[in-house]
Amino acid sequence: MSEPLVLGIETSCDETGVGIVRGHTLLADAVASSVDEHARFGGVVPEVASRAHLEAMVPTIERACETAGIQLRDIDAVAVTNGPGLAGALLVGVAAAKALALGLGKPIYGVNHLASHVAVDQLEHGPLPEPCVAMLVSGGHSSLLRVTDVTGQDGGVDPMGQTIDDAAGEAFDKVARLLGLPFPGGPYIDKAAREGDSVFIDFPRGLTSRRDLERHRFDFSFSGLKTAVARWVEAKERAGEPVPVKDVAASFQEAVCDVLVRKALDAASSEGIEDLLIGGGVAANSRLRFLAEERAEKLGVRVRVPRPGLCTDNGAMVAALGAEMVARGRTPSSLDLPADSSLPVDDVLAG
């Protein structure tokens, strides 16, 4: 078949993901998560994540191949996240990908985690509109990108804005902890918020004042919002009053989603771009999806969001970007490609 068959490996944080795609068709998306091992610590522990990747790698590869109905020798290329992420976790995935590429005699593509979150949408909605504005929101990242070529050719992934402190997902986790909700906080706040009042508390919208917009028009900040929630909850507790968890969750979530959507649509309008893609773990949030589609429709902007299972970290997104690299004739990475925990978003393909 003419479309490339690519195996992708993702180990940037706490999930061991192995995906197999043929062109834009998803054949397998196997994930082994270590989230339960981190929950008792209230966050991801890098050493625990690395060890979990080591234990899960081979079984997850085998499961992906079985689901796809292929043998490893059938693949055309191996793709792997080489950054950004946790250094030790990345090293496990990169080492596994190198071993596969060397043993099978196949090319290897070291790809950017963030660009992979953009590319995965092709598995559900077909070829990306180029240009488009991509908003990536997760536990470690809140970014706005102008994408003209998802493989990064000729500056094809251009950063427009990013978080200057806490990322959106990080804020969800910290506020969930304040409210006594489990880790990871995003799904639990989303669930609680559905029964809460989103205007119960008018929490601040970071970097949206006129002065802030002059310097940080497309940047994000959620640290002040997190602190505002903490102070509100502490004041209730000092007064001996019950904390209305559902209302606090709804009001906090509304503040986050309002800022995200407002800035994303402003970025699209400023560039004259009519397509907005939302990716990353927080893109699974129901309120974010609704607000984005509602406001975008009024502006004539089309919104694309992958299904929730493809928003969180997974190997399918890495395979999707790898397949695009093969299809567009990008030069494979060398076998000495590094794992780079602070890889910039516009460095899409390792040399």
Side-chain angles (χ1 to χ4, degrees), residues 178 224-238:
L178 285 170
L225 171 60
K226 173 204 65 182
T227 301
V229 175
R231 288 176 176 170
W232 196 95
V233 170
E234 289 165 1
K236 281 289 183 183
E237 291 174 340
R238 282 197 302 270

Side-chain angles (χ1 to χ4, degrees), residues 43-44 77 88 98 107 124 142 166 180 189 191 206 234 255 258 293 296 336:
V44 176
K98 288 179 179 180
E124 191 160 8
S142 299
D166 286 1
I189 286 183
K191 182 178 180 180
E234 289 165 1
D258 178 28
E293 292 173 359
D336 62 353

Side-chain angles (χ1 to χ4, degrees), residues 295-331:
R295 294 183 183 177
E297 185 178 7
K298 296 176 182 178
L299 298 174
V301 174
R302 295 177 291 269
V303 176
R304 291 170 49 137
V305 192
R307 63 180 180 271
L310 292 179
C311 289
T312 52
D313 293 349
N314 59 81
M317 69 186 199
V318 180
L321 183 51
E324 199 66 24
M325 295 289 182
V326 176
R328 298 195 189 194
R330 295 298 304 273
T331 303

Side-chain angles (χ1 to χ4, degrees), residues 13-235:
C13 193
D14 61 334
E15 286 162 328
T16 308
V18 178
I20 299 173
V21 307
R22 188 182 293 280
H24 294 164
T25 302
L26 177 61
L27 303 181
D29 181 24
V31 177
S33 177
S34 60
V35 66
D36 291 342
E37 298 176 48
H38 303 284
R40 61 194 179 102
F41 300 106
V44 176
V45 180
E47 178 62 20
V48 172
S50 300
R51 290 180 179 274
H53 289 311
L54 282 169
E55 295 172 359
M57 183 58 65
V58 172
T60 309
I61 291 173
E62 291 175 343
R63 181 154 49 96
C65 288
E66 182 179 354
T67 301
I70 68 161
Q71 300 293 320
L72 278 174
R73 62 175 176 269
D74 297 331
I75 65 173
D76 297 310
V78 178
V80 61
T81 298
N82 74 304
L86 301 174
L90 289 168
L91 280 169
V92 176
V94 170
K98 288 179 179 180
L100 283 174
L102 184 61
L104 297 170
K106 304 292 184 179
I108 185 172
Y109 294 84
V111 300
N112 192 292
H113 175 82
L114 299 178
S116 297
H117 273 301
V118 178
V120 74
D121 188 70
Q122 297 184 131
L123 301 180
E124 191 160 8
H125 300 122
L128 290 175
E130 294 177 340
C132 70
V133 168
M135 179 172 67
L136 305 181
V137 278
S138 66
H141 307 279
S142 299
S143 306
L144 281 171
L145 313 171
R146 187 180 190 277
V147 180
T148 55
D149 183 333
V150 72
T151 67
Q153 185 74 39
D154 299 324
V157 178
D158 183 29
M160 298 179 68
Q162 62 184 347
T163 185
I164 64 173
D165 44 52
D166 286 1
E170 184 179 4
F172 270 95
D173 289 339
K174 291 179 177 178
V175 168
R177 190 184 310 167
L178 285 170
L179 298 177
L181 298 174
F183 173 86
Y188 294 99
I189 286 183
D190 193 1
K191 182 178 180 180
R194 292 172 192 169
E195 299 180 17
D197 182 355
S198 63
V199 296
F200 187 79
I201 310 160
D202 186 19
F203 284 129
R205 271 65 167 164
L207 297 184
T208 58
S209 70
R210 179 177 299 179
R211 183 178 179 182
D212 286 330
L213 290 174
E214 290 175 357
R215 297 176 297 171
H216 299 287
R217 182 176 177 183
F218 301 130
D219 292 325
F220 301 99
S221 170
F222 297 106
S223 179
L225 171 60
K226 173 204 65 182
T227 301
V229 175
R231 288 176 176 170
W232 196 95
V233 170
E234 289 165 1

